[in-house]
């Protein structure tokens, strides 16, 4: 993309005809924007607008200006301007208008413009055989105008269409990004994995630096629940490096989700500092769904630390702020915290809301989380059957974090039922899973419970890993994944010599001599999920 932008910019400079010069300047500006060169894009856009553009060209220029504003700021102004550009393009170029509506839709999720975007999407006509993007737009139009859960059936159909289509290099990156979010909301772990990875791959292949940060942040969200915390951190850090290098503002929109990463790692001071910053930021504070996600991160932190009154307060704030009365994962946090605080009515209300969401998806991920949430409110054999169901369902998914949590709460229940021997197996499995993924807050809780059964917990992590600096850890992970020094340098925007310098320090700290040894050192300790044992 950067090469195309440079070529088109040079072509613009060499073109004497005013009409062709404006058209080429507009194309060059679009290419520079997508490559992350926003200042160059704005300069060329001014050249294009100063010349004779036709109505379509003027509409394209309006769209590009809106794209630049939104990409740089994630703000409401850019999202609204994208909607206006889409409406202007609709009678001129249907395909381009549809792509712009997708961008306006993606913006609405972050910038809280559902009220403006919803009616516009609902009014779009569907073709006789609608493609995935049309279904996506229509489904959100219904959801935004009629409220949850209306439109979910259409969004599920759109998701199936996206997943059944073969990978193609000309796919709309923003549409795939939104579809990945739908997969997450519908508890489709396989779909979330495929689409979030596809978005990153496509953005990389075309060199779309303006789109890659958001793609990486969505991938980081998948990695959190998959228990791949190191990969989540690497994706987040790369996104921030790109934003800094290209002059984009910080991504406030997904900040709360990513604060959950620090919460899982038991970095309480870092979480509190980040959360306080997010709460003061108007683009988060004044956007209901983003404020809800911020409070969710706090609930994750305190449930992991077994400080349940604080977790309950945060989870309740999350539900109160969310426009649809809470999202699935936050409701599960609320159920657990309320049960631990002996507030069964609060827990049952949250569980009822959670069930609506998990039943819509009908997947093992959602139904597994539902099962262990139900079990927390059940007793006797009914509770045991639900815990067993949760573990069996979650073991069939890619999501290691909720599986580990299912083992943890089942083990805690068994210990309180005075079945210490049975409890040890599940608590040790939970501890090993949490340790392997680096979820230290929940690992600490599992260790405490395991100790209470009379057993001891020994860390399976190599203690020297904690001696690595964040940059060394990122480089080590990328090298472990098979990337060359040059590829790592390009990924992290540093020189190959710097990569080599850090790797030599990593090898020395870990006491190894080769990349093969590095891969073995960083590989998580295997932990097999156990099924429940009967008394």
């Amino acid at each position: 993309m950067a090469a195309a932008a440079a070529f088109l910019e040079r072509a613009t400079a060499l073109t004497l005809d005013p009409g062709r010069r404006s058209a080429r300047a507009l194309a060059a500006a679009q290419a520079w924007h997508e490559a992350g060169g926003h200042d160059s894009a704005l300069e060329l856009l001014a050249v294009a607008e100063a010349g004779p553009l036709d109505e379509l060209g003027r509409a394209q220029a309006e769209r590009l200006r809106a794209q630049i504003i939104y990409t740089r700021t994630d703000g409401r102004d850019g999202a609204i301007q994208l909607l206006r550009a889409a409406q202007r393009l609709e009678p001129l170029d249907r395909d381009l208008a549809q792509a712009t509506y997708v961008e306006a839709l993606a913006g609405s999720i972050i910038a809280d413009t559902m009220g403006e975007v919803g009616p516009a999407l609902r009014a779009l006509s569907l073709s006789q055989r609608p493609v995935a993007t049309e279904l996506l737009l229509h489904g959100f139009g219904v959801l935004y105008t009629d409220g949850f859960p209306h439109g979910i059936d259409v969004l599920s159909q759109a998701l199936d269409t996206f997943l059944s289509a073969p990978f193609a290099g000309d796919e709309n990156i923003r549409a795939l990004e939104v579809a990945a979010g739908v997969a997450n909301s519908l508890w489709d772990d396989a779909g979330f994995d495929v689409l979030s990875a596809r978005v990153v791959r496509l953005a990389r292949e075309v060199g779309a630096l303006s789109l890659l940060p958001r793609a990486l942040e969505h991938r980081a969200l998948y990695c959190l629940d998959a228990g791949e915390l190191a990969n989540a951190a690497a994706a987040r850090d790369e996104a921030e490096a790109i934003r800094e290098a290209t002059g984009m503002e910080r991504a406030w929109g997904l900040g709360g989700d990513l604060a959950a990463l620090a919460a899982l790692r038991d970095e309480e001071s870092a979480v509190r500092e980040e959360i306080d910053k997010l709460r003061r930021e108007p683009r988060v504070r004044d956007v209901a769904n983003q404020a809800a996600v911020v409070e969710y991160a706090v609930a994750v932190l305190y449930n992991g630390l077994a400080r349940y009154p604080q977790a309950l307060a945060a989870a309740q704030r999350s539900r109160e702020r969310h426009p649809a009365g809470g999202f699935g994962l936050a409701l599960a946090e609320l159920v657990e915290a309320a049960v631990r605080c002996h507030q069964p009515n609060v827990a049952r209300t949250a569980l009822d809301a959670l069930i609506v969401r998990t039943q819509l998806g009908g997947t093992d991920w959602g139904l597994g989380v539902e099962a262990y949430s139900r079990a927390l409110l059940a007793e006797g054999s009914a509770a045991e059957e639900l815990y067993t169901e949760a573990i069996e369902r979650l073991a069939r998914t890619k999501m290691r974090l909720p599986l580990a949590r299912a083992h943890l709460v089942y083990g805690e229940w068994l210990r309180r039922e005075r079945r210490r021997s049975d409890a040890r197996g599940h608590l040790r499995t939970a501890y090993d899973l949490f340790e392997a993924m680096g979820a230290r807050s929940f690992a600490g809780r599992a260790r405490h419970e395991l100790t209470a059964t009379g057993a001891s917990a020994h860390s399976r992590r190599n203690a020297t890993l904690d001696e690595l600096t964040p940059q060394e850890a990122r480089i080590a992970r990328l090298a472990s994944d098979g990337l060359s020094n040059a590829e790592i340098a390009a990924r992290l925007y540093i020189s190959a010599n710097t990569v080599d310098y850090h790797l030599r320090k990593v090898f020395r700290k870990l006491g190894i001599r080769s990349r093969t040894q590095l891969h073995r050192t960083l590989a998580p300790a295997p932990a097999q999920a156990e099924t429940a044992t009967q008394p």
Side-chain angles (χ1 to χ4, degrees):
M1 191 63 70
F7 180 87
L8 289 166
E9 182 176 8
R10 181 63 176 156
T12 301
L14 295 174
T15 301
L16 298 179
D17 180 78
R20 289 185 177 182
R21 179 180 172 83
S22 289
R24 287 174 178 170
L26 182 58
Q30 185 71 50
W32 270 125
H33 160 65
E34 292 175 7
H38 306 300
D39 291 336
S40 296
L42 287 171
E43 291 173 6
L44 285 158
L45 182 57
V47 172
E49 290 176 323
L53 289 173
D54 59 16
E55 180 59 22
L56 177 58
R58 294 288 173 190
Q60 289 174 308
E62 180 182 339
R63 177 199 186 214
L64 177 55
R65 193 171 293 280
Q67 286 176 320
I68 294 171
I69 293 171
Y70 177 71
T71 300
R72 277 187 150 178
T73 66
D74 278 348
R76 182 179 178 84
D77 290 345
I80 292 295
Q81 288 187 43
L82 283 168
L83 176 61
R84 301 290 177 260
Q87 292 169 326
R88 183 174 179 179
L89 281 163
E90 197 170 348
L92 304 171
D93 187 323
R94 189 174 186 275
D95 290 341
L96 190 58
Q98 187 176 88
T100 312
Y101 275 119
V102 169
E103 293 169 337
L105 169 60
S108 72
I109 297 170
I110 300 298
D112 198 12
T113 56
M114 291 88 157
E116 294 86 349
V117 170
L121 300 184
R122 185 70 180 268
L124 294 177
S125 59
L126 284 171
S127 59
Q128 288 189 337
R129 292 185 176 181
V131 297
T133 302
E134 288 181 279
L135 292 169
L136 192 70
L137 294 172
H138 182 69
F140 272 101
V142 175
L143 176 65
Y144 285 174
T145 53
D146 293 357
F148 178 84
H150 299 285
I152 297 297
D153 54 340
V154 182
L155 290 175
S156 180
Q157 186 182 350
L159 180 59
D160 290 341
T161 307
F162 274 109
L163 290 169
S164 63
F167 180 83
D170 60 351
E171 289 179 292
N172 185 314
I173 296 177
R174 284 293 192 205
L176 285 175
E177 177 190 304
V178 175
V182 171
N184 187 21
S185 298
L186 293 178
W187 307 86
D188 184 345
D189 56 302
F192 193 19
D193 181 17
V194 169
L195 292 176
S196 62
R198 187 183 294 180
V199 176
V200 172
R201 175 182 164 189
L202 183 57
R204 285 199 199 286
E205 286 182 353
V206 301
L209 289 185
S210 64
L211 301 179
L212 186 53
R214 181 71 63 198
L216 286 164
E217 286 153 359
H218 273 82
R219 184 62 184 171
L221 297 184
Y222 165 78
C223 290
L224 281 180
D225 280 303
E228 302 171 7
L229 302 194
N231 290 339
R236 178 202 61 189
D237 292 343
E238 184 182 355
E240 285 304 305
I242 295 170
R243 289 182 183 279
E244 183 177 351
T246 58
M248 301 183 204
E249 292 187 20
R250 184 182 177 193
W252 298 105
L254 294 175
D257 285 301
L258 298 179
L261 174 61
L264 290 168
R265 289 173 153 183
D266 194 11
E267 299 168 357
E268 183 177 2
S269 60
V271 175
R272 293 191 63 84
E273 181 180 348
E274 178 70 7
I275 294 300
D276 288 344
K277 194 181 302 180
L278 289 167
R279 284 172 173 162
R280 292 193 300 269
E281 170 56 40
R283 284 172 293 175
V284 176
R285 185 189 65 234
D286 299 336
V287 177
N289 59 331
Q290 299 307 325
V293 173
V294 167
E295 300 301 338
Y296 158 72
V298 180
V300 170
L301 172 68
Y302 289 120
N303 269 335
L305 296 175
R307 287 154 61 177
Y308 300 114
Q310 290 162 285
L312 175 61
Q316 286 177 314
R317 290 193 299 269
S318 178
R319 186 173 188 196
E320 290 165 1
R321 294 302 306 271
H322 195 269
F327 62 95
L329 291 173
L331 290 167
E333 299 296 337
L334 179 53
V335 171
E336 182 171 354
V339 168
R340 302 305 188 202
C341 291
H342 308 291
Q343 296 193 30
N345 291 336
V346 174
R348 288 192 185 94
T349 300
L351 177 62
D352 290 343
L354 173 64
I355 290 170
V356 172
R357 288 149 180 79
T358 55
Q359 293 294 323
L360 284 171
T363 67
D364 280 326
W365 178 17
L367 296 177
V369 171
E370 176 192 320
Y372 78 66
S373 298
R374 284 179 180 272
L376 287 165
L377 280 160
E379 297 179 355
S381 61
E384 181 139 32
E385 288 174 7
L386 286 165
Y387 283 125
T388 303
E389 177 190 346
I391 290 170
E392 289 175 349
R393 285 188 178 279
L394 291 166
R396 294 195 289 265
T397 74
K398 296 173 177 287
M399 299 316 200
R400 302 293 90 183
L401 181 61
L403 173 63
R405 293 187 67 171
H407 278 289
L408 174 61
V409 292
Y410 186 24
E412 290 172 333
W413 181 82
L414 287 167
R415 186 177 76 79
R416 285 158 180 74
E417 291 290 305
R418 303 181 187 280
R419 292 165 53 186
R420 291 189 173 189
S421 178
D422 293 335
R424 287 185 193 120
H426 290 283
L427 292 172
R428 192 174 297 282
T429 297
Y431 176 75
D432 289 346
L433 285 167
F434 288 132
E435 275 283 291
M437 65 183 73
R440 290 190 288 271
S441 59
F442 283 95
R445 180 173 144 189
R447 182 176 58 250
H448 173 79
E449 290 286 332
L450 192 56
T451 302
T453 68
S456 59
H458 302 289
S459 175
R460 298 189 178 188
R461 299 176 69 240
N462 189 332
T464 56
L465 292 178
D466 291 330
E467 297 176 13
L468 301 183
T469 67
Q471 183 76 319
E472 289 168 353
R474 286 191 288 272
I475 290 172
R477 288 288 178 189
L478 293 172
S480 173
D481 289 340
L483 274 68
S484 68
N485 284 9
E487 290 170 330
I488 296 171
R491 183 76 63 87
L492 300 181
Y493 306 95
I494 57 180
S495 71
N497 287 338
T498 301
V499 173
D500 181 68
Y501 167 75
H502 282 301
L503 272 179
R504 281 188 277 112
K505 290 178 64 180
V506 167
F507 284 7
R508 185 169 63 253
K509 286 183 177 181
L510 299 184
I512 59 177
R513 296 183 178 182
S514 70
R515 289 183 182 232
T516 302
Q517 291 176 299
L518 180 64
H519 181 74
R520 288 198 298 266
T521 301
L522 298 184
Q528 298 297 323
E530 300 179 19
T531 56
T533 54
Q534 298 297 323

